[in-house]
Amino acid sequence: AKSNGRSQVRFFNNTMRKKLKSHADIENDLQHGIEHNEFELYFQPIFTIGDCHVVGFEALVRWHHPTKGFVPPNDFIPIAENTGQIINLDLHLLELAAKQISTWQQQGKRFLRITVNVSSRHFASLDFVSQIHAIYNTYQLPLGSLCLEITESGLIENLELATKIIEGLSPLKVKLCLDDFGTGYSALGYLHQLPIHVLKIDKSFIDHLKDTPTPLVDAILSLASSLELDVVAEGIETQQQLTTLQQTKCNYGQGFLKAKPLPACQAILLIDQPL
Ligand code: C2E
Ligand code: CA
Ligand code: CA
Ligand code: CA
């Protein structure tokens, strides 16, 4: 029993060591990846719930790693969050998104809002305001063309500064969306104090939808309506989920039923007719 125990310990240690090594690899490779343009944004349509017209895209990062191949965001975003590299990575991806908006503008495409995921770490310094203003200037972005998606936890820790930052972005008509709403510690008491515009209902709540809205989805929708916020339902995978949402006040949807995240050149082909 004793030796068995020891080998389990060793096995565990080896797995741990491998994991630690791959974390260290990724940490080292992130900066290199930014400098060598290994990151690409994919674009997933966000559409009106009623008639499924594309109103914009959520930008989702894809990493083409030179030796590991495709590395999914869940394998490096949390590491970048921990090391603080997320700040540089987010700014790089915001710039890629801005470049794409400006390309589509020059091609005469109609107005689309691009939603970019950013860490709540940005909401701890006023630098973020000037960084976003600089991106708007460099790429001559139309007002309202960027939406920033954040999870609520970081905002609430720093409510006063976060509010100042969001106000600093308001001349650019930057929209703010709370992602994964309903998971984690929903500080409902603070919601009315946050100058945000959109709630995104987490996929886990959409998964449970059958032919009537669940009490939880109902509650989120009436909360949003009383605060005059738009709502996006994420992770719509079935026609039944969509049909049910069409009977509610939910404004927008997103999910594999209508479209997966796609490279820019494929995503843009979807904007001229209903999905
Ligand atoms: P998220 O922001 O909640 O993004 C939604 C995730 O759900 C995306 O996974 C998307 O591809 C996936 N998804 C969308 N519709 C469906 C559906 O109908 N069914 C299912 N099963 N999945 C669906 P992805 O692209 O792997 O991203 C995972 C997470 O990584 C994101 O979750 C976000 O937290 C983070 N992430 C992705 N891109 C970025 C980025 O550019 N910057 C930052 N900071 N985080 C990012
Ligand atoms: Ca998101
Ligand atoms: Ca989400
Ligand atoms: Ca999520």
Side-chain angles (χ1 to χ4, degrees):
K2 210 173 180 185
S3 69
N4 194 8
R6 200 181 303 142
S7 73
Q8 264 178 17
V9 167
R10 183 158 21 165
F11 170 74
F12 187 64
N13 280 344
N14 282 338
T15 334
M16 291 277 287
R17 208 170 294 127
K18 250 196 199 142
K19 208 166 186 177
L20 281 177
K21 177 158 167 14
S22 89
H23 277 209
D25 283 352
I26 283 175
E27 194 179 333
N28 289 331
D29 294 353
L30 272 169
Q31 189 55 35
H32 177 274
I34 293 173
E35 285 158 16
H36 292 80
N37 235 340
E38 292 166 12
F39 296 96
E40 180 185 6
L41 289 178
Y42 271 40
F43 295 89
Q44 184 178 32
I46 298 173
F47 53 84
T48 53
I49 276 286
D51 57 7
C52 301
H53 276 88
V54 179
V55 294
F57 296 113
E58 179 177 6
L60 293 154
V61 66
R62 301 293 178 253
W63 188 2
H64 307 286
H65 189 284
T67 58
K68 292 186 208 293
F70 172 76
V71 185
N74 286 329
D75 287 2
F76 64 92
I77 295 291
I79 297 175
E81 278 278 353
N82 280 330
T83 62
Q85 289 167 299
I86 194 73
I87 297 280
N88 270 338
L89 181 60
D90 281 348
L91 291 171
H92 174 65
L93 299 175
L94 276 164
E95 194 146 349
L96 290 186
K99 216 178 272 179
Q100 191 60 66
I101 294 171
S102 127
T103 303
W104 282 332
Q105 276 278 111
Q106 284 162 26
Q107 294 170 352
K109 305 295 181 198
R110 69 178 170 83
F111 178 84
L112 294 163
R113 179 167 288 141
I114 306 300
T115 296
V116 181
N117 293 281
V118 296
S119 165
S120 56
R121 276 178 179 258
H122 295 283
F123 292 82
S125 155
L126 282 169
D127 291 349
F128 194 49
V129 175
S130 42
Q131 286 158 345
I132 297 287
H133 276 266
I135 289 174
Y136 263 76
N137 279 331
T138 306
Y139 295 96
Q140 293 293 300
L141 298 186
L143 295 180
S145 54
L146 268 188
C147 174
L148 303 177
E149 213 165 282
I150 35 186
T151 53
E152 61 193 311
S153 52
L155 283 191
I156 285 146
E157 283 161 25
N158 235 320
L159 194 59
E160 226 171 287
L161 186 52
T163 304
K164 264 203 195 110
I165 291 166
I166 297 172
E167 279 164 1
L169 297 175
S170 77
L172 305 173
K173 304 265 185 273
V174 172
K175 301 286 174 196
L176 266 290
C177 172
L178 277 193
D179 201 0
D180 300 344
F181 189 73
T183 66
Y185 312 89
S186 285
L188 296 184
Y190 291 96
L191 203 55
H192 72 283
Q193 293 183 44
L194 283 173
I196 56 155
H197 313 91
V198 187
L199 290 185
K200 190 175 263 193
I201 307 181
D202 193 64
K203 176 177 184 300
S204 57
F205 301 111
I206 306 305
D207 288 343
H208 292 125
L209 285 183
K210 298 252 156 43
D211 52 10
T212 52
T214 59
L216 233 134
V217 167
D218 251 347
I220 295 175
L221 290 170
S222 47
L223 180 71
S225 131
S226 71
L227 296 172
E228 296 179 9
L229 303 174
D230 282 333
V231 182
V232 182
E234 80 172 357
I236 302 174
E237 290 182 340
T238 69
Q239 183 58 48
Q240 188 182 40
Q241 290 163 353
L242 178 61
T243 305
T244 298
L245 287 164
Q246 283 168 338
Q247 293 150 21
T248 72
K249 285 192 194 166
C250 181
N251 318 76
Y252 302 108
Q254 188 180 348
F256 292 176
L257 174 68
K258 290 299 181 183
K260 294 193 169 178
L262 296 165
C265 60
Q266 289 176 36
I268 200 64
L269 301 176
L270 299 177
I271 69 168
D272 290 323
Q273 65 282 312
L275 291 171

